[in-house]
Amino acid sequence: ERGMAALGKEVWARHQETIAGFWRVVWEYCDGIRAMGVKIYQDGMVADGPLGRRIVEDTAAAGSLNYQLVLRLLDRGACLVKTEKLDLVKREYDGLIAMTRAKTMGSRLIAVARHKLIKAILLRQRDAFIAGRIDETLEPGETGILFIGALHKVAERLAPDIEIEEIKDRRRVRDYQKLLPFHSKHRQELEELAGYLTG
């Protein structure tokens, strides 16, 4: 509702099409690989085993295209790996919740300022932890898939012997995300980026 209010119905609808198209491309890629034994590293995943699977199933049922794809890969024989440290994810989540639950403009501004101060630090800490998890759990000759937000910089922290293949260039994903709030000034560029993300 907030996204629609901020962007307008037309831009919001186009954005939703872009998101769906992006995930269609990712699904097609993943459908073309052999999933048996592939290790799945998911942004925000603080558990594996039965609890991790339940988190994936619940989030997929709530409509997440990302988690629906993860569930599909698990059903095809992939293995979910605990990717994140709970306290780091919780601290970031708590900051987001504080912003959305603030009752006054003053308390909202304070929550936003606090979140901005710790966001970059938390992101670096999370990236270091994720890279460490990949390094310690991905054996030579194994394949892993990392589903991660575009603001993360995990790839730079991975061991040099890990070969990386991006489905879509995360810098261009980030560019799309940065320009979206300013859509009226960047229509052409946004259209080009949307075409790239969905093609």
Side-chain angles (χ1 to χ4, degrees):
E1 290 174 359
R2 287 183 183 179
M4 193 181 301
L7 298 174
K9 283 185 180 181
E10 184 180 320
V11 174
W12 181 252
R14 176 67 177 120
H15 174 57
Q16 295 304 304
E17 289 173 13
T18 301
I19 291 170
F22 170 82
W23 282 107
R24 179 187 42 76
V25 169
V26 176
W27 274 64
E28 287 171 0
Y29 177 88
C30 290
D31 278 348
I33 64 168
R34 183 177 178 273
M36 185 61 67
V38 168
K39 292 185 174 172
I40 304 295
Y41 302 92
Q42 170 63 50
D43 189 348
M45 184 54 60
V46 296
D48 48 23
L51 176 58
R53 170 115 188 167
R54 198 171 93 221
I55 292 169
V56 171
E57 289 171 347
D58 290 349
T59 311
S64 168
L65 296 174
N66 177 184
Y67 279 77
Q68 289 170 11
L69 176 54
V70 170
L71 184 58
R72 180 179 176 99
L73 289 165
L74 294 178
D75 288 343
R76 291 175 52 211
C79 175
L80 186 66
V81 179
K82 175 186 171 187
T83 308
E84 298 239 36
K85 191 173 183 182
L86 178 60
D87 68 318
L88 294 176
V89 173
K90 187 176 180 327
R91 285 174 60 198
E92 185 164 343
Y93 176 78
D94 289 346
L96 293 170
I97 292 300
M99 289 188 301
T100 60
R101 291 190 178 160
K103 301 285 186 215
T104 66
M105 182 58 76
S107 61
R108 182 171 291 136
L109 290 173
I110 290 169
V112 168
R114 279 188 187 142
H115 184 67
K116 282 186 177 181
L117 282 173
I118 65 164
K119 182 178 177 180
I121 295 166
L122 285 174
L123 197 61
R124 282 194 302 273
Q125 291 174 341
R126 287 177 62 205
D127 287 350
F129 186 85
I130 294 167
R133 287 294 293 154
I134 294 170
D135 287 344
E136 54 188 56
T137 59
L138 192 64
E139 299 294 329
E142 289 185 327
T143 299
I145 299 176
L146 172 62
F147 293 101
I148 194 79
L151 294 178
H152 287 269
K153 295 180 179 177
V154 175
E156 291 89 340
R157 296 175 174 270
L158 292 174
D161 63 337
I162 295 178
E163 185 179 320
I164 301 166
E165 178 184 347
E166 285 185 328
I167 298 172
K168 293 292 178 180
D169 183 340
R170 66 192 146 92
R171 290 172 301 213
R172 295 184 77 183
V173 176
R174 268 196 314 262
D175 289 344
Y176 174 83
Q177 292 171 337
K178 286 179 186 176
L179 292 178
L180 187 61
F182 311 102
H183 58 88
S184 60
K185 293 181 181 176
H186 300 281
R187 288 183 196 277
Q188 182 64 34
E189 198 172 353
L190 270 171
E191 281 301 314
E192 289 169 8
L193 287 167
Y196 166 75
L197 295 176
T198 59

